[in-house]
Amino acid sequence: MLNFSRWKIIAILASILAGIIFALPNVLPKDMQDKLREHTILRPITLGLDLQGGSNVLMEVDRKELTNTLIVQQMGDVRAALREARIGYKLNRTPSGVTVQINNADDADKAYGVLRNLTQPIDTGMFGTGVASHIFSLSRSGQQFTFAFNDAGLESRVSQAVEQSLRIIENRVNGTGIAEASIQRQGRDRIVIQLPGVGDPDQVVKMIGQTAKLTFQLVCESQPVNPTDNPPPECAAYPMKENPQQNMWVQTSSAATVDGADLSNASSGFDSRTNEPIVSFKFNQKGALRFGKLTTDNVGKPFAIILDQEVISAPRINEPILGGTGQISGNFTVQEANSLAIVLKSGALPARLVAVEQRTVGPSLGSDSIRAGAIASIIALVAVMTFMLIAYGLFGIFANIALIVNLILLIGIMSVAGFTLTLPGIAGIVLTMGIAVDSNVLVYERIREEWRHGRTAFNSIETGFKAALATVLDLNITSFIAAVVLFGVGSGPVKGFAIAHAIGIITTVFTAFTVTRLIVFWWVRTTKPKEVPL
């Protein structure tokens, strides 16, 4: 147990040296930190929102707009289904759904068979276990049918919208280059977004909250003369981006529409002829086929590019566009073009999100937290080292050296791996220092016990390390499992604690059974002790 081959010694020393190098940027001036970050993987530890300052935004699914969208979709589905079945009807909208009055009593049973397929089933089981519910429930009274929202189905639809939005928002925030943003679900219909280092979050919040639903729709032959004119049944009116007072009527049928959900890429650039900012896009195979067919069948006709129910532009189709690529121009600024490219590439939000809380955490509060955490860490370190020195003398010095190495490795790993240090993370480091010497205490007590039983000094030390290994591993493995569970199910601050604690456990085991043992090995080989100074 006390024998070390040359390669083992080299590996241990190399690990310690790597830890020192990785932790070094934390004590360098900021200009040197920036240079290292630019040219190497070395970087100071990333500070969380509570330490660095930044913005905290709470966004909520706009239920009113979501229910409005679902009702409009349901009315469109009812209209299309009854028209295909050649059943006369009258359609009315209610605050909670749709009512359908069948004109001919003989068609009522046939209509029921058609309408009951339009209740929009949705999975409401936990973890997608296949428990089906419906967004709308259908009831019948004679020739009248009513679609009303089903509470369970609607809540599940809101929940799905939040889950889908989490991934899309994460992609959008990553596209802005903001490091270590925290995006988490809160409750049933809210999302918390923390942006470290962002003092003015308005632009980012505007981009995050943009629904970014992009469609390409053929323009109707007739157009409004006055802003108050109503569109034909197969058309919808959307305001123009350049002149919101002016509406454009566009066709709503699926045959006349290509959905931007099939975009595979988008990027900002400049038009080679006008030099104005544009957004270039590319469809996936499915979208390219639909876009190619739409443009082939409608050469010479205008089609509208609609973003979030606003007509960006309405160019004329001069020739079939078969490559699945195109560009959008609309008097964008460079920043608007960049933001639009990011949101299109990330995908459209399934529902509109509104900011219900937006606050900025000042860096001064973070500085106070860092100062308090540093003081707590120093006090804990000094207290633990003093105790070990008093309790175990020379072996306490060995443990203290290992404790300092442990702290350096912990900071080095968190720095180079890009883990975020939060205020609870500092608590995790302080706790790690407190329990790091537990392994040494177990080993030393076992060595002391073997020495009291009459073994030689070398045998006592050899047996002490060997016998305590299983106990130390059990102790740290159980703690590591708890840290993993905390990380898996916890939220931001809890995760920060779990990360620091889990890395601290790994470095603790390493230093207890390699660094401390190597120091003892050198001491035994150099002094050849006859007694154990414990």
Side-chain angles (χ1 to χ4, degrees), residues 253-483:
S253 69
S254 59
T257 304
V258 176
D259 198 326
D262 291 326
L263 288 179
S264 64
N265 195 14
S267 60
S268 59
F270 293 92
D271 191 296
S272 58
R273 295 165 297 178
T274 63
N275 205 34
E276 67 174 1
I278 58 169
V279 176
S280 301
F281 60 85
K282 182 179 182 180
F283 280 107
N284 58 22
Q285 185 176 13
K286 176 186 171 186
L289 289 174
R290 287 183 55 83
F291 196 62
K293 186 176 187 309
L294 178 72
T295 54
T296 300
D297 296 342
N298 297 280
V299 172
K301 300 178 181 177
F303 77 131
I305 302 174
I306 301 172
L307 179 67
D308 290 342
Q309 300 187 343
E310 187 180 61
V311 178
I312 302 297
S313 61
R316 185 172 299 279
I317 304 172
N318 295 322
E319 58 185 9
I321 305 174
L322 304 178
T325 60
Q327 66 181 43
I328 304 171
S329 59
N331 291 327
F332 299 124
T333 64
V334 174
Q335 189 173 23
E336 287 174 341
N338 287 334
S339 297
L340 179 58
I342 291 172
V343 297
L344 290 181
K345 189 160 53 177
S346 305
L349 290 174
R352 192 167 82 94
L353 298 176
V354 293
V356 295
E357 180 183 319
Q358 184 175 324
R359 58 185 172 87
T360 302
V361 179
S364 58
L365 178 61
S367 299
D368 293 342
S369 300
I370 294 174
R371 192 180 304 111
I375 293 173
S377 302
I378 292 172
I379 292 174
L381 184 65
V382 171
V384 171
M385 293 176 72
T386 302
F387 172 81
M388 292 300 292
L389 185 62
I390 294 173
Y392 297 104
L394 178 63
F395 276 58
I397 295 176
F398 298 159
N400 289 340
I401 295 173
L403 181 61
I404 294 173
V405 172
N406 186 358
L407 185 59
I408 293 173
L409 290 176
L410 172 58
I411 294 175
I413 292 174
M414 291 193 69
S415 300
V416 75
F419 291 117
T420 302
L421 179 65
T422 61
L423 194 56
I426 294 178
I429 293 176
V430 174
L431 177 62
T432 297
M433 287 190 290
I435 65 174
V437 294
D438 283 357
S439 303
N440 296 109
V441 170
L442 287 171
V443 173
Y444 292 169
E445 290 299 325
R446 193 58 189 261
I447 292 174
R448 184 179 282 171
E449 185 178 339
E450 296 297 327
W451 173 248
R452 287 171 180 166
H453 287 169
R455 289 180 179 268
T456 64
F458 181 84
N459 284 337
S460 297
I461 295 172
E462 172 90 2
T463 306
F465 273 104
K466 187 182 297 183
L469 176 60
T471 305
V472 172
L473 285 179
D474 288 346
L475 174 68
N476 286 281
I477 288 173
T478 51
S479 297
F480 188 79
I481 292 173

Side-chain angles (χ1 to χ4, degrees), residues 24-33 36:
L24 187 61
N26 293 284
V27 295
L28 294 177
K30 190 173 185 311
D31 56 339
M32 293 187 67
Q33 292 177 352
L36 286 174

